[in-house]
């Protein structure tokens, strides 16, 4: 069983089951895909506006590249921990397992939706399916 030091104080008897870290390869892949899609979109928009269309591709690649570089240190340091009672995430996010209404897959991320409608995103996961399945196993037999 995985027993790391957690960022939040654990309650008496609470145990960390797993840790889900952001993955560098997934982070890079997601930003490359975003740059390509936005670059093509920008070129199409510029073409229909009658502007120099080819500028859209390099501009989008540059913009997404700067964004990825600037945010990498924060995004890649983010991690979530699954305990036998809750999920503990970055910026002191905490979700009790009993409050989870739904888990959704979005790209390389898992979105956690609570009974009150709060949403949390576990981003840049190398194995989003395995992460989702592991959380569902600890919800007492899956989601309702």
């Amino acid at each position: 069983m995985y027993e790391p030091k957690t960022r939040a104080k654990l309650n008496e008897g609470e145990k960390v089951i797993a840790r889900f870290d952001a993955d560098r390869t997934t982070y890079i892949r997601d930003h490359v895909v975003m740059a390509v899609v936005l670059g093509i979109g920008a070129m199409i928009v510029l073409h229909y506006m009658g502007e120099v269309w080819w500028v859209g591709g390099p501009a989008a690649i540059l913009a997404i590249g700067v964004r990825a570089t600037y945010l990498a240190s924060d995004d890649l340091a983010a991690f979530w921990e699954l305990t036998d009672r809750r999920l503990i995430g970055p910026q002191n996010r905490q979700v009790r397992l009993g409050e989870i209404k739904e888990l959704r897959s979005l790209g390389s991320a898992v979105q956690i939706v609570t009974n009150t409608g709060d949403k949390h995103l576990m981003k840049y996961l190398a194995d989003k399916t395995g992460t989702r399945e592991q959380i569902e196993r600890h919800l007492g037999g899956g989601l309702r």
Side-chain angles (χ1 to χ4, degrees):
M1 183 175 290
Y2 180 77
E3 294 282 347
K5 291 188 180 214
T6 182
R7 71 167 52 86
K9 184 176 178 183
L10 298 178
N11 297 322
E12 188 174 324
E14 185 176 19
K15 294 182 182 166
V16 175
I17 298 166
R19 176 174 159 154
F20 309 107
D21 290 287
D23 178 63
R24 180 175 296 281
T25 302
T26 304
Y27 182 81
I28 292 168
R29 184 195 66 218
D30 284 1
H31 281 83
V32 167
V33 169
M34 195 175 358
V36 168
V37 170
L38 292 176
I40 291 169
M43 289 190 295
I44 290 169
V45 168
L46 288 171
H47 171 73
Y48 283 109
M49 290 175 57
E51 300 293 332
V52 182
W53 62 270
W54 62 267
V55 173
I61 291 169
L62 180 63
I64 299 301
V66 168
R67 178 199 184 280
T69 302
Y70 182 75
L71 296 177
S73 61
D74 289 337
D75 285 345
L76 293 173
F79 64 92
W80 286 80
E81 290 175 314
L82 173 65
T83 74
D84 54 352
R85 300 177 191 173
R86 59 190 166 150
L87 276 166
I88 304 167
Q91 300 171 349
N92 201 31
R93 292 184 191 124
Q94 297 181 36
V95 181
R96 287 183 335 141
L97 296 181
E99 294 175 350
I100 296 175
K101 177 181 176 182
E102 185 177 3
L103 295 172
R104 299 178 184 155
S105 295
L106 301 168
S108 65
V110 172
Q111 184 183 47
I112 304 154
V113 182
T114 67
N115 292 326
T116 59
D118 293 334
K119 295 177 182 167
H120 305 276
L121 201 58
M122 300 171 72
K123 300 188 288 186
Y124 310 117
L125 299 171
D127 181 16
K128 71 171 179 194
T129 304
T131 299
R132 183 177 174 173
E133 288 171 355
Q134 188 165 11
I135 295 168
E136 286 176 341
R137 275 196 307 274
H138 290 88
L139 292 177
L143 293 172
R144 316 167 251 321

